[in-house]
Amino acid sequence: MALFWQQRGRRQENGGLGRVIDGLGSVFEVLLANARLVLGVSGAAVLAIATLAVKRLIDRATSPRDEGDPKAEQKSLEESWQDLALIKTTPKPPKKQRREDLSQPLLSPAQPVVPGEAPDPRGCSAPLGAPQVTSSPLRCLTLQEKLLSHSSRLAVPEIQASLVPQLARSISTQLQNFLRSKCPELPFGRLFLSGALLDGLEVLAADRIHLMLPVVLDAGLWGLISGEDTVVRNPQYWMIKRIDLGYFPRGCSPWDRFLVGRYLSSSVLIETLHKLLVASINWPAIGGLLGCAIHPVVASRELKLEVKHDQVELSITLFPVVEMEDKVLLAVPPEGLVENLWLESFDRAEVSRVKELDAGDSGARQLCLRLLNGVCRSQPSLHKLGGSPVTQVILHLSDTASDWAEEHLADRFQQVLEELVASLEKGVLLSYFNPKINLFSGLSEEEIDEMGFVLYRAISEPELLL
């Protein structure tokens, strides 16, 4: 009875497994029947071999084991490994060549062996006719090499570097002629260009330039008052006061029309010039004469022109400027109710000092400054650090770090980053020319935190900025 139930169970197992095998067999037959159409001849061959190996494994697993043969289990394992080896050693069908593979470089062919010459021992292990691939060792660039390589990519395109100043000077001439004819009573000086492009510190693109409009004042009628002595308590600004009104009443100076109280108002002057730029000047005619399109920016608080040429797009910002008592004051009032303030500018002094120091020791300060300006321009969160703040840090470091040779560029670059992070942590960057001025006073806490986070990461990995 026990033998009966054992044989019955075995028949049930064989019957159930047989039905599964029959089902798999039908699937394999369908695959093999259509393999040539889908996979081609080589693909069908691979599938047939793999199918045969799998069927062998299944047949061996389902066939009754001869209990009397002690080598049956070992023989079964050996045949299984042979079947798996058969699958692994089956050549793979050639892969279809893709369009993008056509741009990949081909392997260099094997070098033929010259009769009488000893064969290269390095090629003994490769089969005859196999391509020889020589791999060059990877070379890690130092920060110094990366900075020098990156500096070559910061150069302004030559066509922009020559076209932009020429175009800006032509616009300056047209604007100068208009002001002389429209406002002959106002003694404006001769317009001149300024900015990083003319200083040799512009990077990436020549798409912005400054146009300076001198406001000529009679020194006997005007005097300066530091913003530190006013209600704003900010030494970065100055007020231009009308003096000696008892002897020289209002109307003696052509600039008296821009007085608010007893002070020359930068805001009133900007509003007057803004109306002239927007409503009085025929910019389409001037643009047609110069071969470009010129549009004044109506919504801006600044006096700004947008210029579109076939080869360049340019932004020109007009700054009324007063030079008195060895100070350069721009009509850039701060936001708020105070409208009589003039911003002291150190741009000219900064660039002059950097060039003077480089000329004295053949230093790389200007190169370092261009690199940092490029970083600040390419990183949106660092835009407000470009220009004056970075220049001021370099000037401060020049008093302590004496070696600014090009071979030490990486050290100085890293040191500038560290000084910027330290200044951002304190929220203070003192002006090189006036220690009472904090160049970070106009930044919000969010801006300081964001810039500090970016530069703090870059101290350990400066390459992140490049």
Side-chain angles (χ1 to χ4, degrees):
M1 182 64 67
L3 181 60
F4 170 77
W5 287 111
Q6 184 177 1
Q7 292 177 353
R8 181 179 178 183
R10 184 175 299 174
R11 284 197 302 270
Q12 289 178 352
E13 291 177 0
N14 292 340
L17 187 58
R19 286 193 295 269
V20 174
I21 294 175
D22 292 339
L24 290 175
S26 62
V27 172
F28 292 149
E29 290 175 359
V30 173
L31 290 176
L32 291 175
N34 295 277
R36 180 170 299 181
L37 295 177
V38 179
L39 303 176
V41 176
S42 58
V46 174
L47 182 59
I49 295 173
T51 304
L52 177 61
V54 173
K55 290 182 66 177
R56 286 182 182 177
L57 292 174
I58 295 175
D59 292 340
R60 193 176 300 112
T62 56
S63 60
R65 182 179 300 176
D66 189 0
E67 297 179 356
D69 188 0
K71 297 183 180 180
E73 183 176 357
Q74 182 178 0
K75 181 179 179 181
S76 176
L77 290 175
E78 291 176 355
E79 292 176 352
S80 300
W81 285 112
Q82 291 174 2
D83 293 337
L84 291 177
L86 177 64
I87 297 176
K88 291 183 179 180
T89 57
T90 302
K92 296 183 179 180
K95 183 178 66 174
K96 286 187 177 181
Q97 193 173 28
R98 299 177 299 175
R99 183 182 299 270
E100 53 268 24
D101 294 338
L102 298 178
S103 62
Q104 300 296 327
L106 297 177
L107 296 175
S108 58
Q111 298 294 331
V113 179
V114 180
E117 182 180 346
D120 189 357
R122 293 175 296 179
C124 295
S125 58
L128 183 63
Q132 301 292 331
V133 181
T134 58
S135 60
S136 58
L138 295 177
R139 179 171 177 266
C140 296
L141 297 179
T142 64
L143 178 59
Q144 175 82 9
E145 293 169 331
K146 291 179 180 179
L147 289 175
L148 294 176
S149 175
H150 185 69
S151 65
S152 62
R153 299 193 294 269
L154 295 176
V156 176
E158 293 184 3
I159 188 170
Q160 293 185 13
S162 60
L163 177 61
V164 166
Q166 178 182 354
L167 188 59
R169 289 189 179 96
S170 300
I171 295 174
S172 171
T173 301
Q174 296 295 326
L175 181 58
Q176 186 87 64
N177 295 336
F178 171 81
L179 290 175
R180 287 177 178 175
S181 62
K182 185 71 174 179
C183 309
E185 74 282 2
L186 296 178
F188 287 111
R190 185 172 184 82
L191 286 160
F192 62 93
L193 303 183
S194 180
L197 177 62
L198 300 179
D199 297 329
L201 300 176
E202 186 63 276
V203 292
L204 298 178
D207 55 356
R208 55 192 177 183
I209 202 166
H210 296 163
L211 189 56
M212 316 304 286
L213 176 62
V215 176
V216 181
L217 299 178
D218 187 348
L221 300 178
W222 303 91
L224 297 182
I225 298 178
S226 173
E228 190 179 13
D229 300 330
T230 65
V231 293
V232 296
R233 301 296 179 186
N234 191 339
Q236 196 170 1
Y237 291 91
W238 292 78
M239 300 182 75
I240 303 176
K241 184 179 180 179
R242 180 70 156 82
I243 60 177
D244 291 337
L245 286 175
Y247 295 97
F248 305 99
R250 288 176 181 264
C252 293
S253 173
W255 302 105
D256 286 346
R257 57 185 287 191
F258 301 104
L259 287 177
V260 174
R262 296 182 60 179
Y263 302 94
L264 182 62
S265 174
S266 56
S267 297
V268 176
L269 179 59
I270 289 176
E271 290 174 3
T272 303
L273 292 174
H274 190 273
K275 293 177 182 178
L276 293 176
L277 290 178
V278 172
S280 301
I281 303 180
N282 189 355
W283 291 116
I286 296 176
L289 179 66
L290 301 179
C292 60
I294 306 174
H295 302 283
V297 180
V298 179
S300 175
R301 296 180 69 248
E302 299 177 316
L303 303 173
K304 185 173 291 187
L305 300 173
E306 297 292 344
V307 182
K308 292 186 178 181
H309 190 271
D310 292 339
Q311 298 175 323
V312 69
E313 292 188 4
L314 175 64
S315 175
I316 299 178
T317 305
L318 178 65
F319 290 102
V321 55
V322 172
E323 297 189 32
M324 287 183 63
E325 302 177 8
D326 298 330
K327 293 179 175 55
V328 179
L329 307 178
L330 303 180
V332 184
E335 296 183 4
L337 300 177
V338 182
E339 56 184 11
N340 299 332
L341 296 179
W342 293 70
L343 176 67
E344 184 173 8
S345 173
F346 299 101
D347 293 346
R348 188 188 306 173
E350 291 168 358
V351 175
S352 177
R353 181 59 177 163
V354 168
K355 292 184 177 181
E356 179 184 353
L357 291 172
D358 273 352
D361 58 8
S362 301
R365 295 173 185 84
Q366 296 176 74
L367 176 57
C368 186
L369 183 55
R370 281 195 296 270
L371 287 166
L372 291 165
N373 283 339
V375 166
C376 294
R377 182 161 184 170
S378 60
Q379 298 279 343
S381 60
L382 301 179
H383 281 178
K384 292 189 176 181
L385 281 183
S388 184
V390 170
T391 308
Q392 296 278 341
V393 172
I394 290 179
L395 290 177
H396 282 300
L397 285 178
S398 297
D399 293 339
T400 57
S402 58
D403 195 350
W404 281 85
E406 186 175 296
E407 54 265 24
H408 299 289
L409 175 63
D411 296 334
R412 300 289 84 84
F413 184 87
Q414 184 90 16
Q415 197 172 3
V416 171
L417 295 181
E418 294 172 357
E419 290 295 325
L420 283 172
V421 170
S423 299
L424 288 169
E425 288 178 348
K426 296 181 294 185
V428 176
L429 176 58
L430 299 181
S431 171
Y432 182 79
F433 299 98
N434 187 353
K436 297 180 181 180
I437 297 176
N438 177 18
L439 299 180
F440 287 165
S441 60
L443 299 177
S444 64
E445 293 185 3
E446 291 77 10
E447 291 172 333
I448 290 178
D449 291 341
E450 186 175 5
M451 290 187 291
F453 174 74
V454 174
L455 294 179
Y456 181 78
R457 291 182 57 201
I459 288 179
S460 58
E461 295 182 73
E463 296 83 358
L464 294 175
L465 300 177
L466 304 180

